[in-house]
Amino acid sequence: MVRLACEVVDTGGPRGFADLTLAKVAAAAGVAPPSLYKHVGSLAALRREVAVIAVRELTAAGTTATVGRAGPDALRSLAHAWRRYAVEHPGRYAATQIGADPDDPEDAPLEQAGAESVRVVGAVLQGFGLPDQHLIDAIRTVRASVHGFVMLELGGGFRMRHDLDQSFDTLLTMLVTGTETLARR
């Protein structure tokens, strides 16, 4: 049922995760909504499971893209992998933005998946020689920058006649330069 929910959220585009309902999943499964309760306890539980899968998939994409790479090459590869994942799975990508509640034991799998994702980004940034005191800020900056670009792209926010790939490469050049500068501080 969770895999079907992943397909439903992707079909809904960037708003697919926010618009997820048990009725939509039931309709895709060809069953009545009450039948879903045999498989999931609630919409909140289903959303959490979709988010865990999405974070794990995004982390795997980033890991695969950065194996054997370091520094600027690794950062660029990571960002391109995130962008590809977002374009291919817009609903699931939106689900990756949900942070786990550290005080909710049911969020433990999401918290673990998120921590692994942060470790991958941290390893990429440490390849620049970034001091530990700047690591969290750099991780947040990379995530916010790539996420902002991707969400504007998915939402149709870039309508000017200018190559989006070139703009994305410019963003990455700025992130690389900023990370290198931060590492030298």
Side-chain angles (χ1 to χ4, degrees):
M1 207 50 59
V2 178
R3 282 286 166 198
L4 183 58
C6 288
E7 292 173 23
V8 168
V9 299
D10 282 341
T11 300
R15 294 252 346 124
F17 184 70
D19 294 341
L20 179 64
T21 65
L22 291 176
K24 287 181 181 180
V25 176
V31 300
S35 300
L36 294 183
Y37 288 104
K38 295 175 189 169
H39 306 282
V40 296
S42 66
L43 176 59
L46 181 61
R47 289 172 56 81
R48 185 181 297 114
E49 290 184 50
V50 168
V52 169
I53 286 171
V55 170
R56 286 179 179 156
E57 289 175 347
L58 184 66
T59 302
T63 300
T64 299
T66 58
V67 168
R69 300 175 189 275
D73 186 37
L75 180 54
R76 288 176 185 278
S77 294
L78 176 70
H80 281 289
W82 284 355
R83 183 179 179 209
R84 251 187 327 275
Y85 182 84
V87 168
E88 292 170 7
H89 305 288
R92 278 183 256 186
Y93 176 76
T96 68
Q97 304 309 309
I98 305 303
D101 179 351
D103 297 324
D104 184 349
E106 291 186 24
D107 269 5
L110 182 56
E111 186 173 19
Q112 291 166 354
E116 181 58 30
S117 183
V118 168
R119 277 192 288 278
V120 169
V121 182
V124 165
L125 293 173
Q126 286 174 325
F128 284 84
L130 200 62
D132 286 344
Q133 75 258 26
H134 295 306
L135 191 58
I136 294 299
D137 294 330
I139 290 169
R140 288 176 174 167
T141 299
V142 167
R143 179 181 176 204
S145 299
V146 174
H147 175 69
F149 189 98
V150 165
M151 291 309 292
L152 284 166
E153 179 179 13
L154 291 176
F158 294 128
R159 300 238 181 222
M160 297 172 98
R161 293 188 178 152
H162 186 75
D163 184 11
L164 276 179
D165 292 335
Q166 181 179 333
S167 294
F168 191 69
D169 286 339
T170 298
L171 171 74
L172 298 182
T173 297
M174 293 172 79
L175 284 173
V176 165
T177 301
T179 304
E180 290 171 337
T181 300
L182 192 59
R184 287 193 298 268
R185 270 199 201 167

